[in-house]
Amino acid sequence: GEDVEQSLFLSVREGDSSVINCTYTDSSSTYLYWYKQEPGAGLQLLTYIFSNMDMKQDQRLTVLLNKKDKHLSLRIADTQTGDSAIYFCAEKAANDYKLSFGAGTTVTVRA
Amino acid sequence: EAGVAQSPRYKIIEKRQSVAFWCNPISGHATLYWYQQILGQGPKLLIQFQNNGVVDDSQLPKDRFSAERLKGVDSTLKIQPAKLEDSAVYLCASSSNDNEQFFGPGTRLTVL
């Protein structure tokens, strides 16, 4: 969606950390999400953060939210080949059910 | 817990033909969504159901697309007649609350 923007590609070496960035425009966003899509598969919900939080950690995943700048990032520690996929950022506005997605960031993990 | 099921996984049709997709949401999920994902883009919501009622169909091209969820469980999405620009992956998602949506594997439609 035009309200959510992501860089299109990221290449990372196996074992390094990956950082995927996303910006959004709707200041009323209540929840922000990261989904993973592997080739030929649907979207897998990785994690989400409520807008009153600035950080959430779940095993190798760390989500950072800068609400002032409307910037969301996903850090994947110790990136593995199985992390190669397209990662979508999405936001849900207050009083709305639908998710607005970015175009996705293709992450390629090289040996 | 079984996930969201969709069929068929792939469909190839010629323009002006009709096509239908089926979705079975996660058991107990009252809310069901249909998204269209064009190659290289993120999914875009077509229609949202709460039980068997439509909550939002503002982005559904109603001249050719229709959807129903008659008994509040399974749903079908139909395109009649199809156009070339309808080539996309059609994703079904379901949720039991406002916060989390769970997606099926999608149906990849190619219109020739």
Side-chain angles (χ1 to χ4, degrees):
Chain A
E2 61 271 17
D3 298 326
V4 181
E5 293 191 357
Q6 305 176 235
S7 53
L8 292 182
F9 301 99
L10 176 68
S11 178
V12 63
R13 189 174 301 165
E14 189 175 12
D16 287 352
S17 293
S18 310
V19 179
I20 309 167
N21 294 301
C22 168
T23 57
Y24 59 98
T25 58
D26 191 342
S27 57
S28 73
S29 296
T30 53
Y31 287 92
L32 294 125
Y33 302 81
W34 285 104
Y35 281 86
K36 176 183 180 183
Q37 187 175 39
E38 298 184 68
L43 275 70
Q44 174 194 353
L45 178 62
L46 288 177
T47 186
Y48 64 94
I49 189 168
F50 188 51
S51 58
N52 69 352
M53 300 169 63
D54 51 21
M55 188 182 92
K56 181 178 180 182
Q57 186 155 3
D58 183 3
Q59 299 182 334
R60 293 191 297 123
L61 305 179
T62 303
V63 179
L64 295 178
L65 174 60
N66 182 327
K67 197 172 180 182
K68 174 176 168 289
D69 294 339
K70 300 188 185 67
H71 182 268
L72 182 75
S73 68
L74 174 69
R75 178 178 180 270
I76 306 173
D78 187 25
T79 310
Q80 303 298 307
T81 55
D83 296 323
S84 292
I86 303 175
Y87 290 80
F88 291 93
C89 169
E91 60 94 16
K92 187 174 84 70
N95 302 317
D96 199 352
Y97 292 99
K98 71 174 185 288
L99 299 180
S100 295
F101 286 86
T105 299
T106 299
V107 174
T108 303
V109 181
R110 60 187 193 278
Chain B
E1 178 182 77
V4 177
Q6 290 188 246
S7 69
R9 291 297 313 276
Y10 305 93
K11 189 74 178 178
I12 300 173
I13 62 173
E14 294 188 347
K15 61 183 179 184
R16 290 188 289 273
Q17 286 188 320
S18 302
V19 65
F21 313 127
W22 173 83
C23 173
N24 179 240
I26 293 172
S27 178
H29 282 194
T31 310
L32 185 148
Y33 311 79
W34 283 102
Y35 287 84
Q36 180 192 56
Q37 185 180 17
I38 293 173
L39 186 66
Q41 299 181 17
K44 287 185 170 59
L45 181 71
L46 292 174
I47 188 167
Q48 177 192 343
F49 292 93
Q50 181 75 16
N51 296 308
N52 60 351
V54 175
V55 173
D56 182 356
D57 64 355
S58 58
Q59 300 302 307
L60 189 73
K62 298 180 188 64
D63 57 333
R64 297 183 301 105
F65 286 64
S66 64
E68 60 184 14
R69 194 185 184 199
L70 292 175
K71 296 183 179 178
V73 180
D74 294 2
S75 176
T76 56
L77 175 69
K78 296 179 182 177
I79 307 175
Q80 181 180 10
K83 292 186 175 181
L84 296 177
E85 59 261 35
D86 298 332
S87 293
V89 177
Y90 290 85
L91 294 163
C92 179
S94 70
S95 67
S96 61
N97 58 49
D98 289 351
N99 304 341
E100 300 180 57
Q101 293 183 25
F102 297 90
F103 284 77
T107 297
R108 182 177 298 275
L109 174 68
T110 302
V111 182
L112 303 175

